[in-house]
């Protein structure tokens, strides 16, 4: 363990792998139960029930004071949206859910974005581009590479699809605690970043916007992050284990 990386023990990896798998299942169950007409608060309550059914608990509820079971961010909301009883989901909405489950002393953390009907050409570019950026980043999550290699891969795909890359929020290490070193930006900054070594677990999570990369935080709830220009955003996140060989995606669904 160092300031810029945490190498998990084999015993920890077993527990982290299970937490990640549980979280992935919950993520997809929530998406399957979401539908137009329900409120985002309703969806948050569904998420709470699904998380409790696993024997775990929400890793987000109460974290730094966060009031929801999961993060539900709609349209121009990038991340950290809170379920609200006055926010009714429409069939035209683009919905991002970010789910965290703590179970047996380990944490899973994963996100996905979805719509309810055929997406417009721009929204398809946003959603598909963000997924493509995530997978490009994951391919660079290999032993001997550095965090910068992941960041460059994500940013390159984002630029190809003409998408804004959020800079204020980044990926991170995860496993025993929600946020562990290193930070994993979706853009190239200074330096190479942490060396990737077997036993590290990273949350790689592109947050990309149709318009500007600039965001603003809600002045009332102090949590919800929105695009500054009101354009839609997408958010996809996988937990990835660095191994001796290829990266292992811990939050990959077992069935399609």
């Amino acid at each position: 363990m160092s300031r810029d990386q945490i190498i998990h023990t084999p015993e920890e990896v077993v527990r982290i792998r299970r937490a990640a798998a549980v979280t992935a299942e919950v993520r997809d169950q929530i998406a399957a139960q979401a539908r137009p007409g329900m409120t985002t608060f309703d969806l948050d309550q569904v998420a709470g029930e699904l998380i409790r059914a696993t024997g775990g608990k929400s890793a987000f509820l109460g974290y730094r004071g966060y009031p929801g079971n999961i993060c539900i961010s709609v349209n121009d909301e990038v991340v950290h949206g809170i379920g609200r009883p006055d926010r009714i989901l429409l069939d035209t909405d683009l919905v991002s859910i970010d789910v965290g489950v703590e179970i047996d002393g380990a944490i899973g953390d994963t996100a996905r974005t979805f719509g309810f009907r055929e997406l417009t050409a721009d929204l398809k570019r946003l959603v598909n581009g963000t997924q493509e950026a995530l997978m490009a980043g994951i391919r660079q999550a290999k032993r001997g590479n550095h965090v910068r290699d992941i960041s460059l891969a994500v940013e390159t795909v984002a630029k190809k699809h003409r998408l804004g890359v959020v800079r204020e929020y980044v990926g991170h290490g995860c496993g025993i605690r929600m946020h562990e070193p290193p930070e994993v930006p979706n853009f190239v900054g200074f330096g190479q970043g942490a060396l990737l070594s077997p036993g590290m677990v990273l949350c790689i999570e592109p947050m990309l916007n149709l318009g500007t990369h600039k965001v603003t935080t809600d002045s009332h709830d102090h949590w919800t992050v929105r695009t500054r220009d009101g354009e839609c955003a997408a958010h996809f996140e996988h937990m990835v284990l660095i191994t001796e060989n290829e990266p292992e995606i811990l939050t990959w669904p077992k069935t399609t």
Side-chain angles (χ1 to χ4, degrees):
M1 177 174 175
S2 72
R3 277 189 318 173
D4 64 353
Q5 65 171 206
I6 291 179
I7 308 298
H8 292 286
T9 67
E11 185 274 335
E12 287 174 338
V13 169
V14 169
R15 290 189 285 124
I16 294 166
R17 188 180 277 121
R18 178 183 174 229
V22 164
T23 309
E25 187 172 351
V26 170
R27 174 201 63 209
D28 293 340
Q29 288 174 336
I30 294 167
Q33 293 191 36
R35 54 190 164 280
M38 70 193 306
T39 69
T40 55
F41 179 79
D42 293 335
L43 189 59
D44 184 80
Q45 295 304 292
V46 167
E49 292 172 7
L50 290 169
I51 290 170
R52 285 188 291 275
T54 69
K57 66 178 184 178
S58 167
F60 296 171
L61 183 61
Y63 183 75
R64 298 180 180 171
Y66 185 76
N69 289 297
I70 64 170
C71 299
I72 307 170
S73 306
V74 183
N75 297 334
D76 66 327
E77 297 170 352
V78 183
V79 285
H80 303 162
I82 301 166
R84 291 168 25 196
D86 62 342
R87 179 58 167 92
I88 297 172
L89 291 173
L90 306 176
D91 67 351
T92 53
D93 283 336
L94 189 69
V95 182
S96 297
I97 55 172
D98 192 354
V99 184
V101 177
E102 181 179 346
I103 188 167
D104 193 23
I107 289 174
D109 184 11
T110 181
R112 63 178 282 192
T113 298
F114 58 90
F116 297 110
R117 66 181 193 181
E118 183 76 11
L119 298 178
T120 65
D122 275 342
L123 290 183
K124 280 183 181 176
R125 172 166 58 87
L126 172 64
V127 171
N128 294 341
T130 307
Q131 285 181 295
E132 184 183 328
L134 171 60
M135 298 312 297
I138 289 172
R139 283 193 292 273
Q140 297 302 316
K142 296 187 290 191
R143 175 185 185 176
N145 276 358
H146 291 80
V147 166
R148 180 189 174 92
D149 295 303
I150 298 173
S151 304
L152 176 60
V154 172
E155 185 177 42
T156 299
V157 173
K159 285 181 175 177
K160 181 181 82 172
H161 290 283
R162 309 186 314 281
L163 299 173
V165 181
V166 173
R167 292 173 173 265
E168 286 86 340
Y169 300 90
V170 298
H172 53 92
C174 185
I176 301 304
R177 298 195 311 277
M178 171 66 68
H179 291 102
E180 299 173 348
E183 289 192 341
V184 185
N186 296 305
F187 57 93
V188 173
F190 297 104
Q192 290 187 305
L195 176 68
L196 304 184
S197 306
M200 293 174 69
V201 178
L202 304 178
C203 285
I204 302 174
E205 50 177 323
M207 290 157 271
L208 305 183
N209 305 337
L210 264 182
T212 179
H213 68 86
K214 295 179 180 178
V215 298
T216 183
T217 302
D218 189 283
S219 60
H220 298 290
D221 69 31
H222 306 294
W223 279 104
T224 307
V225 177
R226 295 184 177 87
T227 59
R228 194 166 290 183
D229 59 6
E231 293 282 3
C232 282
H235 179 205
F236 286 88
E237 175 182 18
H238 273 313
M239 286 178 75
V240 179
L241 173 67
I242 310 302
T243 73
E244 297 287 349
N245 301 297
E246 292 301 306
E248 179 184 346
I249 303 175
L250 302 179
T251 45
W252 198 257
K254 291 186 174 60
T255 56
T256 55

